[in-house]
């Protein structure tokens, strides 16, 4: 369905008036929404396989399911898909790379020895697109993962290898920051854990802390690199024990001046990360979010415009945490067109951000402060049926990205012309 300029304008005028009655300026909301960067994860493009060639991809606690045709098979194809995806997503973007997306060009070089050279193509591309790069050491899909353990392995050689990998990734991240002039957010997620009940839960945690301390021993300018450690409840095949639990990573982040990374799929099913944002930020300057959608478990489903996504963006926006919360998406679905999966999730994140800026927070907080919870609830509910879609369409038009489902036609055509031939 294509929406005419006239319809968009009519919708805009109507929405402008209705939101204004609640004290909300939709133009300001659009301006603000365009400034909050969302980091687009490279790994949706290719089922977390990576570019190293021999990489085992999504193993060691994570799994991509589905075999929809058209997976990007190399860095050029990922970049080409990302270019098209980005042309259909409004708002500020960053691109999130994993170390396993190193371009080795046939050279024999392992993760403990990567340098910026293996990522220079990515940097040049990012520079051309004027997007910042974020980064992740890859502690999975590699023969040095020792029975599910990396940084907390009891084996010295295993630990040393992964400590070196962490150090290399910091150097590379700092170089991203330097070359692109945009802070590189680095996330450390280690799968380490046991399938079955451990006899010693303490020693691996002590080793994890020691390894992380070794990786972070050298000070790095926070303008170049901001670092987060990601907690998790359990993983596939590692159901009984995760070394990097929430308490461990939260404690580590607090005592070492790091960010804690909260992944929406890494908590008990009724426990939500939106409820943790303002609590963590009482004690730290920055946190990193992995916006994902767990269905029953940490299943990394494409994010939909559900209540939790809205609450996450709402908490950032209504508390003015735009500079304190780094937002990254983290999901991987191989059962549908992967490019569409990217666009659907990214557009949903942008919708939730825009909708957050359209909330009449001042009115709600006034009612709350006066103890008038009746009005607070009444207003919260009335606002839900204000004409958001009209503002979203106007925003997409303004940002020069497809309005409504027009993008789907473009993806279908690209699937036919390019992806189906892979
Ligand atoms: C795994 C973590 C981690 C990964 C990515 C690929 O459970 O969420 O962030 O999904 O690094
Ligand atoms: Zn994650």
């Amino acid at each position: 369905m294509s929406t005419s300029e006239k319809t968009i304008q009519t919708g805009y005028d109507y929405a402008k008036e209705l939101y204004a009655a609640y004290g909300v300026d939709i133009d300001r909301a659009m301006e603000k929404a365009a400034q909050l960067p969302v980091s687009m994860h490279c790994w949706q493009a290719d089922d977390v396989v990576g570019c190293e060639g021999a990489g085992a991809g999504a193993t060691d606690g994570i799994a991509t399911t589905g075999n929809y045709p058209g997976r990007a098979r190399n860095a050029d194809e990922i970049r080409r898909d990302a270019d098209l995806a980005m042309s259909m997503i409004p708002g500020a973007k960053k691109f999130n790379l994993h170390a396993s997306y190193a371009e080795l060009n046939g050279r024999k070089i392992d993760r403990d020895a990567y340098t910026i050279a293996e990522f220079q193509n990515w940097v040049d591309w990012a520079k051309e697109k004027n997007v910042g790069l974020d980064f992740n050491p890859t502690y999975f899909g590699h023969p040095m993962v020792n029975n599910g353990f990396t940084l907390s392995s009891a084996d010295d050689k295993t630990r040393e290898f992964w400590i070196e990998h962490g150090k290399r990734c910091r150097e590379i991240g700092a170089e991203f920051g330097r070359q692109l002039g945009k802070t590189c957010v680095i996330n450390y997620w280690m799968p380490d854990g046991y399938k079955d009940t451990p006899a010693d839960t303490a020693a691996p945690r002590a080793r994890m802390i020691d390894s992380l301390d070794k990786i972070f021993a050298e000070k790095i300018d926070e303008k170049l690199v901001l670092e987060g450690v990601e907690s998790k409840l359990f993983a596939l095949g590692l159901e009984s024990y995760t070394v990097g639990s929430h308490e461990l990573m939260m404690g580590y982040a607090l005592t070492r001046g790091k960010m804690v990374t909260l992944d929406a799929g890494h908590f008990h099913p009724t426990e939500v990360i939106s409820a943790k944002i303002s609590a963590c930020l009482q004690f730290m300057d920055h946190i990193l979010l992995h916006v994902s959608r767990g269905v029953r478990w940490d299943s990394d489903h494409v994010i939909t415009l559900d209540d939790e996504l809205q609450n996450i963006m709402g908490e950032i926006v209504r508390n003015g945490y735009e500079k304190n919360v780094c937002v990254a998406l983290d999901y991987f679905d191989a059962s549908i067109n992967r490019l569409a999966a990217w666009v659907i999730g990214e557009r949903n994140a942008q919708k939730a951000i825009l909708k957050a800026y359209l909330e009449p927070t001042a009115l709600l907080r006034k009612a709350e402060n006066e103890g008038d919870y009746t009005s607070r609830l009444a207003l919260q509910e009335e606002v839900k049926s204000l004409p958001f879609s009209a503002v979203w369409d106007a925003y997409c038009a303004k940002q020069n990205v497809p309005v409504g489902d027009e993008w789907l036609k473009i993806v279908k055509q690209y699937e036919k012309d390019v992806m189906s031939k892979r």
Side-chain angles (χ1 to χ4, degrees):
M1 223 98 69
S2 78
T3 319
S4 73
E5 266 175 49
K6 188 165 162 280
T7 306
I8 295 170
Q9 185 62 43
T10 309
Y12 168 87
D13 292 338
Y14 174 66
K16 178 122 184 125
E17 196 182 319
L18 289 195
Y19 277 101
Y22 287 88
V24 174
D25 176 353
I26 65 172
D27 292 308
R28 187 175 170 276
M30 289 193 252
E31 257 166 53
K32 296 286 282 180
Q35 290 164 24
L36 181 69
V38 174
S39 196
M40 180 167 157
H41 53 313
C42 70
W43 52 93
Q44 167 54 52
D46 74 331
D47 311 344
V48 208
V49 170
C51 304
E52 293 158 311
T59 52
D60 304 308
I62 53 174
T64 317
T65 51
N67 57 356
Y68 197 87
R71 185 182 73 80
R73 295 161 301 179
N74 53 53
D76 285 331
E77 290 182 354
I78 296 171
R79 284 188 283 264
R80 187 171 175 189
D81 292 359
D83 283 342
L84 183 58
M86 284 197 257
S87 73
M88 300 188 285
I89 301 161
K93 278 164 228 67
K94 291 182 90 186
F95 197 73
N96 204 358
L97 277 179
H98 242 285
S100 52
Y101 290 74
E103 290 179 84
L104 305 180
N105 297 317
R107 274 167 302 158
K108 284 237 171 320
I109 171 166
D110 212 344
R111 288 186 193 168
D112 58 343
Y114 286 172
T115 66
I116 188 67
E118 285 72 55
F119 297 91
Q120 195 56 50
N121 285 344
W122 289 108
V123 178
D124 295 344
W125 170 76
K127 196 171 225 163
E128 198 191 301
K129 305 283 152 205
N130 195 27
V131 297
L133 284 181
D134 293 328
F135 203 41
N136 305 258
T138 310
Y139 290 106
F140 56 83
H142 189 281
M144 283 302 278
V145 178
N146 192 341
N147 255 324
F149 282 82
T150 64
L151 288 181
S152 70
S153 171
D155 175 61
D156 293 347
K157 284 231 149 26
T158 304
R159 260 189 350 271
E160 275 155 27
F161 176 86
W162 290 115
I163 289 168
E164 288 309 306
H165 178 55
K167 288 184 179 170
R168 295 298 84 73
C169 287
R170 298 187 90 202
E171 292 158 7
I172 295 162
E175 196 51 32
F176 287 176
R178 233 171 262 125
Q179 288 197 36
L180 297 169
K182 296 189 169 81
T183 310
C184 171
V185 173
I186 307 184
N187 180 55
Y188 295 77
W189 170 68
M190 287 64 62
D192 302 34
Y194 284 120
K195 181 184 175 79
D196 228 326
T197 319
D200 188 351
T201 59
R205 289 189 167 138
R207 287 194 293 266
M208 175 63 79
I209 290 169
D210 183 64
S211 295
L212 287 171
D213 282 348
K214 288 190 167 115
I215 292 172
F216 299 136
E218 204 172 302
K219 274 238 162 312
I220 292 196
D221 184 353
E222 282 211 351
K223 281 207 182 66
L224 296 178
V225 163
L226 268 180
E227 294 171 302
V229 287
E230 184 173 7
S231 69
K232 194 161 174 173
L233 183 62
F234 76 96
L236 264 185
L238 303 167
E239 287 86 359
S240 299
Y241 168 75
T242 295
V243 178
S245 61
H246 180 57
E247 289 71 16
L248 195 88
M249 292 324 203
M250 181 80 183
Y252 190 86
L254 275 175
T255 50
R256 270 60 171 189
K258 297 286 163 200
M259 296 187 286
V260 68
T261 303
L262 304 174
D263 184 307
H266 289 195
F267 293 88
H268 289 285
T270 57
E271 195 179 354
V272 285
I273 63 167
S274 57
K276 300 176 187 294
I277 297 170
S278 67
C280 292
L281 287 174
Q282 303 301 319
F283 302 104
M284 38 183 83
D285 291 336
H286 298 98
I287 58 170
L288 169 57
L289 301 185
H290 269 190
V291 183
S292 185
R293 179 167 60 103
V295 177
R296 301 193 185 279
W297 55 283
D298 175 37
S299 52
D300 294 290
H301 277 62
V302 178
I303 53 168
T304 53
L305 189 55
D306 59 10
D307 285 349
E308 174 56 359
L309 179 62
Q310 196 55 58
N311 289 337
I312 290 170
M313 299 311 180
E315 277 297 284
I316 298 172
V317 164
R318 69 172 76 97
N319 291 313
Y321 286 150
E322 291 92 336
K323 293 270 177 286
N324 310 94
V325 180
C326 307
V327 181
L329 303 194
D330 181 14
Y331 57 79
F332 24 98
D333 190 340
S335 72
I336 58 175
N337 180 301
R338 294 168 185 80
L339 174 50
W342 239 343
V343 179
I344 293 166
E346 289 280 340
R347 282 176 69 104
N348 280 336
Q350 295 295 334
K351 279 182 192 167
I353 290 169
L354 180 62
K355 221 170 175 184
Y357 280 110
L358 291 167
E359 181 187 272
T361 308
L363 275 185
L364 295 171
R365 289 193 169 169
K366 183 169 177 286
E368 184 167 283
N369 290 333
E370 288 166 357
D372 183 2
Y373 305 147
T374 310
S375 297
R376 183 182 63 187
L377 181 61
L379 290 174
Q380 280 168 338
E381 292 309 299
E382 284 305 322
V383 161
K384 283 183 183 168
S385 48
L386 286 178
F388 166 70
S389 70
V391 187
W392 169 248
D393 287 349
Y395 181 60
C396 288
K398 202 170 164 197
Q399 289 263 318
N400 263 317
V401 302
V403 172
D405 64 2
E406 275 167 54
W407 64 268
L408 185 57
K409 267 184 257 158
I410 302 169
V411 172
K412 291 278 183 193
Q413 192 62 46
Y414 184 74
E415 175 174 283
K416 198 162 156 253
D417 297 343
V418 179
M419 299 177 103
S420 69
K421 301 195 170 120
R422 286 178 179 162

